[in-house]
Amino acid sequence: MTEFVIQSEQAYAKVWNKARKRQRLHSFLKGLLFLLPSILLFSVFLFYPLAKTIYLSFYLTDASGATTVYVGLENYKQLFISPIFQKSLEVTFLFVVYTVPGTIVISLFLALLANEKLKGIGIFRTIFSSTMGISVAAASVFWMFLFHPTIGWLNQMLATFGVDSIGWLTDPDWALFSVSISTIWMNIGFTFLILLGGLQSIDRYLYESADIDGAGYFYKLRRITIPMLSPTLFFVITVSFINAFQTFGQVDMLTRGGPQNETNVIVYSIYQEAFMNYKHGAASAQAIILFILILLLTFIQFKLGERKVHYQ
Amino acid sequence: MKKWLTVGFVIFLTLVLAACTNAEASEDQAETETSTNQETETPTPSEDTNEKQVVTFWHAMGGAAQGALEKIVDDYNNSQDDIQVNAEYQGTYDEALTKFHTVAGTETAPTMIQVFEIGTMSMINSGHIEPIQNYVDKDNYDMTGLEENIINYYKIDDTFYSMPFNSSTPVMYYNKDAFEAAGLDGETPPRTFEEIMEASKAIHQNNSEMKGFALQAYGWLFEQLLANQGALLMNNDNGRTDTPTEIGFTEEQGKSIFQWVETMIEEETFANYGTDGDSMVSGFLAGDVAMFMQSSASARDVIDNADFEVGVAFIPHPENTEREGVVIGGASLWMVDDKDQAEKDAAWEFMKYLQTKEVQAEWHVETGYFAINPEAYNEELVKDAYAEMPQLRVTVDQLQSTTSSYATQGAIMDMIPEGRRIIETALETVYNGGEVDETYQNAVDQLNQSIESANAARGE
């Protein structure tokens, strides 16, 4: 008797499991169907190029990028002994360190200012976010005029104060700094807009009750604004990080990686290897290393940074 | 109130964005409009019955040279009814070559393309070109009339792969007024490294605001300074007898240039403009520096824009060597393979037109590039220009007094563009106070490494 019960229970469990499995498969396929368009697009524009890049990184190529000789890991080995690649790694990290905190702090400051309810604040919001509407190429040309060694405004301003002129883009000690300044300026618009949006969506009642408790401005900033803004901040930091790693336009326009490779960030170095030196293999190897770097850093950011993020 | 501000802000943003995109669109439109206008405004009776053979011509001439080239192309299109040449600017030499390598063998490849001299080997190796020699033979076209040095450069294993077109060499520009102010003779410019150092000192002493000499960190100039002292850039006779396996200059030859610059930096007579040629020219025009080296193709531009008298001189060499001469620079025209024969024949016709002495005379006078066809120098146009600007003559004299040797024939190797960047970084390092011995050794190691990997990529 008991045996029978157990058997029927087992049979029941079997059927149930089967049904559940089918149900799962069903919803999985349904989900896949919804994802199909993006999977297709990703495959064409991301996964296939990624696979091809990995493939290319094991070969030497001719000028058109067709593979000629299989070299295994030789391209990677060459990279790690190449002083130029080490330099461009160093430059990229410095560039990230110069631009990301600068952009975030300035944009946050501007967003806090622009979040005040004052007459005509819209004008300031427009001005602060206006750099978003300017292309990297146009902005670079504009900064090139500012940085010009003799007729540039920056050096003319220095001259009126009696300071020696600076070779903004030609002096190896200044070039990366100059490119960073122009990059911060270019990125402020976007970051400002996102942060302002985040600020606007913070519930006003929180501030009202804090006011009733008699909290000061900075106390509110520290205890309400920043925690409530943390998801937006986290997003902005992650995106800025990735953008900084992938900077290309302004480097190409302003310094072409020079002087002495001081502004030769990885993406520019990839471009140079592939499209000027026609070494698509070495360039692919660099691209893979950049990919791994960004992946790692984003992963670390999610592990460490997200703990501090406060979701409502 | 706030709502309206937000709305206003959004409208403003859209307007800004729209303005940006509109400006681009209307520019494009304007461009296509002018190009279609050109086609329609010059109606040809036979156009309807006899369709024109279209030739796409990619070039890399920006600035003043672009205007001059487009005028020549328009003149050609108007001069006959069978061929329509569409000249398309593709950016710098580097960019144009890259684009070609990307589209070679596809529909979008042009019929003919202008490629700089150091792209020669890269083009031959690409396998997508047809040697010009085929057409020369078929047509019994006489190439012997061309400038000797140009033939020397472009004839490889007795074959013309490409049609020479715009050729230039570097010359030294100097400020005659500054020379005279410093008590130097403006008519006898310095000829050696040592004389330049002396002159620079005199000029800087006379006017502390003005530096003596500027050398743009430009690999091409370094190559020319090597050739002028008879040094080879690559071994195996500059790659003329066999594929190079390492650099061809000796330590003494290579270092001479670095040490020369270093001495001038120590004496504070050297102006550092890095790799930026435009800043250097504007510095010269503003009186910040008295001498600099640059392509002869800028001659017209510099002379026209200076408010002082500009002298043009031969490039210098170290005192203990003989002057060997200069290597031809500039670009040539390549016939792209896998196009219809009719289209290629039309391109060949256009190439021959560019060779004629009338066109070359116009080109020489308008830009400062050489006339590759020496007969052009007898044209009235050129004689008049020389009467007005005798400096243009110097560029031709320097080329014609060059000793023919492997050194001045110029190196051919596919990695030279990369090699130039290595040299440029090294020069910049020295300009910014780097140690000569170490910098030189690094550069040589990188050059040899680059030659090795270029050979490996070809499976050699």
Side-chain angles (χ1 to χ4, degrees):
Chain A
M1 180 66 193
T2 46
E3 219 167 73
F4 175 74
V5 171
I6 289 165
Q7 255 179 14
S8 77
E9 250 174 21
Q10 273 175 346
Y12 175 75
K14 233 185 202 166
V15 172
W16 197 77
N17 269 345
K18 225 180 182 175
R20 219 173 67 163
K21 247 186 202 163
R22 191 182 299 151
Q23 180 71 31
R24 255 199 208 152
L25 186 75
H26 191 71
S27 56
F28 177 72
L29 285 178
K30 212 188 277 149
L32 216 56
L33 202 65
F34 280 113
L35 284 175
L36 193 66
S38 56
I39 288 180
L40 266 180
L41 283 177
F42 273 144
S43 313
V44 174
F45 293 109
L46 285 176
F47 302 141
Y48 170 71
L50 180 64
K52 186 85 187 185
T53 308
I54 296 174
Y55 168 78
L56 275 178
S57 72
F58 297 128
Y59 284 87
L60 296 178
T61 66
D62 65 10
S64 64
T67 54
T68 51
V69 184
Y70 174 79
V71 289
L73 290 172
E74 193 55 37
N75 283 331
Y76 292 92
K77 276 185 205 153
Q78 286 295 339
L79 276 189
F80 284 105
I81 57 167
S82 151
I84 298 178
F85 182 68
Q86 277 160 20
K87 179 89 202 171
S88 72
L89 270 184
E90 183 194 324
V91 167
T92 309
F93 275 108
L94 277 178
F95 182 76
V96 170
V97 171
Y98 288 168
T99 55
V100 175
T103 311
I104 306 275
V105 169
I106 295 174
S107 311
L108 183 62
F109 176 69
L110 292 178
L112 287 171
L113 286 184
N115 196 33
E116 298 297 323
K117 289 183 200 72
L118 295 170
K119 209 168 188 180
I121 196 73
I123 297 169
F124 289 98
R125 287 178 188 169
T126 314
I127 293 172
F128 293 158
S129 56
S130 59
T131 61
M132 210 179 85
I134 300 173
S135 73
V136 173
S140 301
V141 170
F142 163 73
W143 277 96
M144 215 142 80
F145 282 120
L146 290 182
F147 286 138
H148 192 281
T150 47
I151 56 169
W153 283 3
L154 289 175
N155 273 350
Q156 287 187 348
M157 233 147 66
L158 288 180
T160 54
F161 292 111
V163 184
D164 271 348
S165 63
I166 295 171
W168 295 99
L169 298 171
T170 49
D171 185 337
D173 295 332
W174 282 94
L176 188 63
F177 179 73
S178 307
V179 175
S180 301
I181 293 181
S182 62
T183 308
I184 291 176
W185 183 83
M186 289 173 211
N187 290 347
I188 279 178
F190 171 76
T191 319
F192 165 82
L193 207 66
I194 303 280
L195 286 178
L196 185 65
L199 285 176
Q200 304 249 302
S201 64
I202 296 176
D203 213 327
R204 259 182 304 138
Y205 297 115
L206 291 172
Y207 291 110
E208 278 167 18
S209 39
D211 281 338
I212 292 165
D213 292 340
Y217 178 81
F218 287 102
Y219 191 81
K220 280 190 286 184
L221 183 70
R222 204 152 48 85
R223 293 288 162 159
I224 302 174
T225 314
I226 301 294
M228 294 305 284
L229 196 62
S230 57
T232 320
L233 267 177
F234 181 65
F235 167 75
V236 162
I237 290 172
T238 311
V239 170
S240 299
F241 248 99
I242 295 175
N243 271 342
F245 269 105
Q246 297 182 341
T247 300
F248 172 76
Q250 52 270 54
V251 174
D252 187 39
M253 300 278 300
L254 290 174
T255 60
R256 298 192 157 259
Q260 293 169 246
N261 291 325
E262 279 297 331
T263 58
N264 195 359
V265 293
I266 296 186
V267 177
Y268 193 75
S269 151
I270 293 172
Y271 163 78
Q272 225 174 26
E273 282 288 71
F275 300 113
M276 292 168 92
N277 299 343
Y278 304 117
K279 292 179 178 167
H280 292 77
S284 300
Q286 291 193 25
I288 296 297
I289 290 178
L290 177 65
F291 167 72
I292 293 170
L293 268 180
I294 295 182
L295 191 73
L296 274 179
L297 277 170
T298 312
F299 181 75
I300 292 172
Q301 241 181 342
F302 268 86
K303 279 284 154 209
L304 294 179
E306 212 178 16
R307 275 192 223 148
K308 297 211 171 68
V309 174
H310 174 88
Y311 291 106
Q312 260 180 309
Chain B
M1 182 61 198
K2 194 180 141 204
K3 207 195 235 164
W4 284 111
L5 279 175
T6 331
V7 170
F9 166 68
V10 168
I11 291 174
F12 178 82
L13 252 191
T14 19
L15 281 179
V16 168
L17 287 174
C20 291
T21 45
N22 268 347
E24 274 167 33
S26 58
E27 248 171 48
D28 284 350
Q29 237 169 24
E31 259 176 43
T32 46
E33 257 165 37
T34 47
S35 63
T36 45
N37 277 349
Q38 276 164 5
E39 279 161 37
T40 47
E41 266 171 13
T42 51
T44 41
S46 59
E47 204 175 52
D48 296 329
T49 48
N50 181 11
E51 205 162 290
K52 282 188 172 187
Q53 177 61 54
V54 175
V55 169
T56 316
F57 169 31
W58 280 11
H59 67 88
M61 298 277 89
Q66 183 172 13
L69 181 61
E70 276 167 5
K71 185 174 170 292
I72 291 173
V73 171
D74 285 345
D75 287 347
Y76 179 70
N77 286 338
N78 295 336
S79 71
Q80 41 73 44
D81 301 332
D82 303 324
I83 299 164
Q84 165 77 33
V85 177
N86 292 332
E88 293 174 7
Y89 175 61
Q90 296 292 341
T92 62
Y93 285 135
D94 268 313
E95 287 161 359
L97 182 60
T98 301
K99 282 183 198 172
F100 173 75
H101 280 311
T102 321
V103 300
T106 69
E107 280 285 298
T108 39
T111 330
M112 54 190 277
I113 176 174
Q114 180 193 26
V115 176
F116 57 174
E117 84 283 16
I118 51 171
T120 301
M121 237 23 226
S122 165
M123 288 298 280
I124 296 174
N125 291 341
S126 82
H128 290 286
I129 56 109
E130 183 174 1
I132 253 7
Q133 191 70 42
N134 294 358
Y135 295 85
V136 173
D137 293 345
K138 205 161 60 181
D139 231 10
N140 275 328
Y141 186 74
D142 186 16
M143 297 284 271
T144 52
L146 297 185
E147 187 77 54
E148 187 197 349
N149 308 70
I150 296 175
I151 295 177
N152 277 344
Y153 188 95
Y154 288 107
K155 201 167 193 176
I156 298 161
D157 299 336
D158 267 336
T159 306
F160 279 105
Y161 284 90
S162 60
M163 188 65 136
F165 172 53
N166 59 318
S167 293
S168 63
T169 54
V171 285
M172 191 178 78
Y173 297 83
Y174 65 99
N175 184 334
K176 276 193 188 174
D177 294 1
F179 265 60
E180 261 140 42
L184 300 164
D185 184 4
E187 300 310 317
T188 49
R191 300 204 146 219
T192 62
F193 288 5
E194 287 75 9
E195 282 172 28
I196 285 188
M197 291 198 282
E198 289 307 312
S200 299
K201 261 197 236 167
I203 288 164
H204 188 59
Q205 264 164 16
N206 173 60
N207 176 1
S208 60
E209 294 284 297
M210 191 184 269
K211 300 274 186 190
F213 186 80
L215 179 68
Q216 182 191 356
Y218 184 16
W220 183 56
L221 296 178
F222 180 82
E223 289 160 21
Q224 299 284 358
L225 287 170
L226 279 180
N228 204 24
Q229 47 181 296
L232 298 171
L233 182 63
M234 299 281 156
N235 72 349
N236 289 333
D237 302 326
N238 255 344
R240 295 284 172 173
T241 47
D242 200 359
T243 313
T245 52
E246 59 181 28
I247 55 159
F249 49 91
T250 64
E251 183 162 329
E252 189 198 343
Q253 291 165 331
K255 263 192 195 165
S256 68
I257 299 161
F258 285 90
Q259 280 159 348
W260 173 48
V261 172
E262 193 195 31
T263 319
M264 284 192 286
I265 292 169
E266 278 166 6
E267 292 171 352
E268 296 184 357
T269 55
F270 184 82
N272 173 18
Y273 290 97
T275 52
D276 189 351
D278 294 339
S279 290
M280 181 176 68
V281 174
S282 49
F284 176 73
L285 295 176
D288 294 339
V289 62
M291 294 175 268
F292 75 101
M293 277 170 62
Q294 176 82 297
S295 162
S296 59
S298 320
R300 186 71 198 251
D301 227 22
V302 174
I303 296 168
D304 281 347
N305 288 320
D307 54 7
F308 47 84
E309 211 179 329
V310 177
V312 175
F314 288 11
I315 62 166
H317 56 91
E319 211 163 49
N320 56 5
T321 62
E322 284 294 309
R323 194 187 88 87
E324 188 98 349
V326 285
V327 185
I328 203 80
S332 61
L333 305 173
W334 293 78
M335 185 76 79
V336 179
D337 209 359
D338 40 57
K339 292 274 169 187
D340 285 344
Q341 196 55 47
E343 193 177 332
K344 286 193 280 188
D345 288 339
W348 171 242
E349 289 303 317
F350 177 59
M351 286 185 190
K352 283 194 293 188
Y353 174 78
L354 291 176
Q355 296 292 33
T356 56
K357 56 181 192 226
E358 295 82 11
V359 173
Q360 282 299 319
E362 184 187 340
W363 179 241
H364 173 56
V365 172
E366 287 298 316
T367 58
Y369 281 111
F370 294 116
I372 48 172
N373 182 349
E375 278 176 41
Y377 298 128
N378 298 326
E379 292 282 301
E380 273 312 304
L381 186 67
V382 178
K383 283 182 182 161
D384 292 349
Y386 282 172
E388 204 183 316
M389 292 186 192
Q391 299 98 321
L392 284 176
R393 250 236 85 91
V394 179
T395 66
V396 181
D397 289 345
Q398 180 178 232
L399 181 67
Q400 292 183 338
S401 65
T402 290
T403 320
S404 180
S405 68
Y406 283 126
T408 56
Q409 213 177 348
I412 44 169
M413 178 67 182
D414 49 5
M415 51 58 74
I416 294 180
E418 182 184 357
R420 282 192 178 171
R421 276 184 286 279
I422 294 169
I423 290 293
E424 282 155 22
T425 307
L427 284 173
E428 277 186 302
T429 310
V430 171
Y431 293 178
N432 290 303
E435 217 255 317
V436 168
D437 291 330
E438 191 193 336
T439 314
Y440 175 81
Q441 199 50 49
N442 275 343
V444 168
D445 289 347
Q446 284 176 38
L447 282 171
N448 285 332
Q449 158 72 29
S450 161
I451 295 169
E452 207 175 290
S453 67
N455 285 336
R458 265 181 275 106
E460 284 170 20

